[in-house]
Amino acid sequence: MDPLDIARWQFGITTVYHFMMVPLTIGLGLVVATLQTMWHRTGREHYLRMTKFWGKLFLINFIMGVATGLVQEFQFGMAWSEYSRFVGDVFGAPLALEALMAFFLESVFLGLWIFGWQRLPKGVHLASIWCAVIGTVFSAYFIVAANAWMQHPVGVEMVDGRPVMNDIWAVLTNNTLLLMFPHTIAGALAVAGSFLLGIAWYHLWKRRRDGIDTVAADGTVIVGSTGSKARDETDYRVWYSSLRWGAWIALAAFLGSAFTGHALAQMVIQQQPLKMAAAEAACQDGTGFSLLAVGDLRSDGATDCDDVVGVFEVPGLLSFLAYNDFTTDVAGVNTLIPQYQEDYGTHLPDDPMYGERAGQEIDYLPVMEVTYWGFRIMITFGGLAALAAALALWLTRKGTVPASKPLMRLAVFGILAPFGANAAGWIFTEMGRQPFVVAPNPDLTGVDQVWMYTAAAVSPGVGAGELLFSLILLTTIYAVLLVVEVVLLTRYVKGGVAAGMPELTQDEHDDDAGGAGKDGPVDSDVLAFAY
């Protein structure tokens, strides 16, 4: 067992799981704050119900994200102490800003928002959710700033073999960061849009199945009511508005992802050319974008250029993606690897910090299967989510969803598409950087030129057995938390508007009983909304 491989598996599993919650928290938080703003400005009841329903789901996801995110910090010290020592002087500032400023905003003002219903003035209460959401955005910015520095180190000088930050402004305005951050936010909004669309589709379909809403001869909806506040005409408005909001958000997010992703890919070609060459399985210099390539199934181990078989490519498209023309050749793997070997050496240094890997030959080619298919999964799932959003806008133009149960299930499962796109994008970004944990700048004359091999980053005093134990333990705990997350979200999604506004059903119960129940109205409990 190799400690480095186990440490990478552990960090990958926990980080990808944690990041499944991050985009939903960011995107849904922005949606909830906007919905409450609409209620504050218009006073319309359906905006209040939308705020509380989606706000309940936002809270569940936020709490689970905090719980799973704590492990990320501990892993730096446990499994990656050499990495922490190397980057500590740089990461101290953005991570401290994330903890002391961004997370402070999130936690304090989210508490005010939860406890402040009907207790704080409406304007102050609205400001609370906006401060909390702005905190999540700031948090994302500082975390992405740290990651962008790993992709493209700037603003440092080397002192005794370690990078020391001498320009925090350069770190916080890294050109890589300025593209990665909007791309991340667009991905988060894509997740939120599909989340709204899929859940709202389910509830509109459920209203049709239960005979509440019907369809006229011309196909337009006839809105009905069960006589209950929880499933009345306003309830219909909640779901129809949520679906339309979600579809438009998903479409806008896809366009944002496409434009920022295009610019980011062009930058990656300049900063980490081998990453993009591996993502295209481009072994030779050329202009064609590979739509499909496969590895030789007879090969042993990871695919390399000797195994790649091109199936179909679009001539000129890769050049357009890289340089905005159709004729400029993009450097391939066989051209780039000799350049990397000349610039950074052919073998790892003969240093005790590399352990058994000291002196080994460096394989500069990332795992081609992961980078190639990760890049395409990201694009495909993002495109499918946008296509589903456009189709949903068309199918619901007359006020409700089709009565088809398979179509409803497809809409619900479609929620997973942007989650998959986000996860695949980050896996491609991180694994495509290998064998570096801190990638070198392409300009070898730069005063801040710095890099670190992943083989040097793992904790030297931690054995394979210890890492394997923590890997199994953390994976098990995260699996349990995944079940908790899914059960809670499913329960409150099925509960509908009443899950976020128990006072709706309480009012009806009080009317039937001739007054408030013995325990008093639900809204007398400050945590009724959070339950």
Side-chain angles (χ1 to χ4, degrees):
M1 295 187 298
D2 189 336
L4 177 59
D5 288 341
I6 301 172
R8 289 182 65 193
W9 271 107
Q10 176 178 291
F11 195 84
I13 290 171
T14 55
T15 302
V16 168
Y17 179 89
H18 171 63
F19 191 74
M20 297 298 282
M21 286 136 188
V22 171
L24 183 58
T25 295
I26 296 171
L28 197 55
L30 289 167
V31 170
V32 169
T34 304
L35 288 171
Q36 186 165 343
T37 302
M38 296 298 294
W39 172 62
H40 181 74
R41 295 190 62 175
T42 67
R44 295 177 181 174
E45 173 71 13
H46 73 279
Y47 283 128
L48 173 62
R49 295 191 186 187
M50 291 169 71
T51 301
K52 287 203 169 187
F53 175 79
W54 298 112
K56 174 88 79 169
L57 303 184
F58 166 73
L59 288 178
I60 294 170
N61 192 73
F62 177 87
I63 293 167
M64 296 297 287
V66 171
T68 56
L70 291 174
V71 176
Q72 309 307 311
E73 301 174 12
F74 290 113
Q75 283 190 97
F76 287 126
M78 293 189 301
W80 303 97
S81 61
E82 290 298 322
Y83 165 80
S84 300
R85 185 177 292 111
F86 185 78
V87 302
D89 288 328
V90 181
F91 279 18
L95 295 186
L97 287 170
E98 190 274 337
L100 297 177
M101 186 177 78
F103 188 70
F104 177 83
L105 278 174
E106 293 176 63
S107 55
V108 170
F109 286 98
L110 196 60
L112 289 173
W113 187 65
I114 294 171
F115 283 85
W117 286 100
Q118 299 180 0
R119 287 165 177 80
L120 292 175
K122 288 177 65 175
V124 175
H125 189 249
L126 175 62
S128 297
I129 185 60
W130 273 112
C131 286
V133 170
I134 289 171
T136 65
V137 174
F138 278 160
S139 180
Y141 188 86
F142 293 128
I143 294 297
V144 175
N147 186 273
W149 188 88
M150 294 164 61
Q151 311 289 339
H152 180 62
V154 294
V156 296
E157 60 181 352
M158 295 299 291
V159 178
D160 297 328
R162 295 173 57 203
V164 176
M165 184 167 61
N166 59 9
D167 187 354
I168 188 173
W169 183 248
V171 174
L172 295 180
T173 58
N174 189 344
N175 57 359
T176 307
L177 166 65
L178 296 181
L179 287 176
M180 287 181 68
F181 177 69
H183 192 61
T184 302
I185 296 300
L189 288 171
V191 168
S194 292
F195 194 71
L196 264 67
L197 192 158
I199 292 173
W201 190 294
Y202 164 75
H203 277 285
L204 285 171
W205 172 84
K206 193 176 175 184
R207 286 177 62 93
R208 286 203 63 181
R209 180 202 65 182
D210 295 342
I212 302 173
D213 299 332
T214 55
V215 174
D218 62 353
T220 57
V221 66
I222 301 174
V223 180
S225 174
T226 62
S228 166
K229 290 183 180 179
R231 302 190 76 186
D232 56 9
E233 292 84 353
T234 305
D235 177 69
Y236 159 81
R237 193 65 189 169
V238 166
W239 305 124
Y240 187 67
S241 296
S242 293
L243 189 148
R244 305 290 287 189
W245 273 60
W248 283 114
I249 290 170
L251 282 175
F254 173 75
L255 293 175
S257 297
F259 283 111
T260 57
H262 175 62
L264 188 58
Q266 290 184 324
M267 180 172 288
V268 171
I269 287 176
Q270 299 300 320
Q271 296 178 352
Q272 299 179 45
L274 194 51
K275 175 190 286 187
M276 289 305 298
E280 296 304 323
C283 295
Q284 309 298 330
D285 299 356
T287 64
F289 179 87
S290 171
L291 290 182
L292 179 62
V294 296
D296 188 344
L297 299 179
R298 297 168 296 178
S299 63
D300 182 20
T303 298
D304 59 28
C305 276
D306 294 332
D307 306 319
V308 172
V309 178
V311 177
F312 185 69
E313 70 176 33
V314 180
L317 182 56
L318 182 59
S319 295
F320 174 77
L321 294 176
Y323 304 115
N324 292 325
D325 65 49
F326 295 94
T327 57
T328 305
D329 282 344
V330 178
V333 169
N334 291 335
T335 298
L336 292 169
I337 285 183
Q339 294 178 9
Y340 274 67
Q341 291 174 335
E342 180 181 352
D343 293 339
Y344 311 115
T346 58
H347 292 76
L348 291 172
D350 192 8
D351 191 302
M353 71 185 300
Y354 291 94
E356 297 179 354
R357 286 185 168 80
Q360 286 186 1
E361 184 177 359
I362 302 172
D363 183 6
Y364 286 104
L365 181 64
V367 181
M368 198 175 292
E369 297 95 323
V370 174
T371 53
Y372 182 87
W373 290 111
F375 192 63
R376 278 146 188 78
I377 289 172
M378 173 185 66
I379 295 172
T380 300
F381 280 8
L384 287 175
L387 181 62
L391 184 61
L393 288 172
W394 173 257
L395 292 176
T396 61
R397 67 192 184 282
K398 293 188 177 181
T400 191
V401 300
S404 169
K405 188 173 184 179
L407 198 57
M408 178 274 293
R409 288 178 172 173
L410 192 61
V412 172
F413 282 111
I415 294 173
L416 299 177
F419 280 102
N422 274 270
W426 275 109
I427 290 171
F428 158 71
T429 299
E430 301 307 297
M431 291 195 66
R433 189 178 62 243
Q434 299 304 317
F436 300 101
V437 67
V438 177
N441 278 336
D443 181 10
L444 294 177
T445 64
V447 295
D448 57 356
Q449 180 62 24
V450 55
W451 70 85
M452 185 183 199
Y453 292 112
T454 308
V458 71
S459 299
V462 179
E466 295 169 301
L467 286 168
L468 183 62
F469 174 77
S470 63
L471 168 63
I472 295 172
L473 181 62
L474 288 173
T475 303
T476 302
I477 292 172
Y478 275 36
V480 172
L481 291 177
L482 176 62
V483 173
V484 172
E485 165 101 350
V486 171
V487 168
L488 284 174
L489 289 177
T490 302
R491 176 182 299 171
Y492 285 104
V493 164
K494 288 184 175 180
V497 173
M501 297 184 69
E503 60 269 26
L504 294 178
T505 53
Q506 178 69 19
D507 289 344
E508 294 167 10
H509 173 73
D510 292 344
D511 291 340
D512 293 339
K518 64 179 181 179
D519 296 324
V522 172
D523 60 9
S524 66
D525 187 339
V526 293
L527 284 179
F529 168 66
Y531 284 157

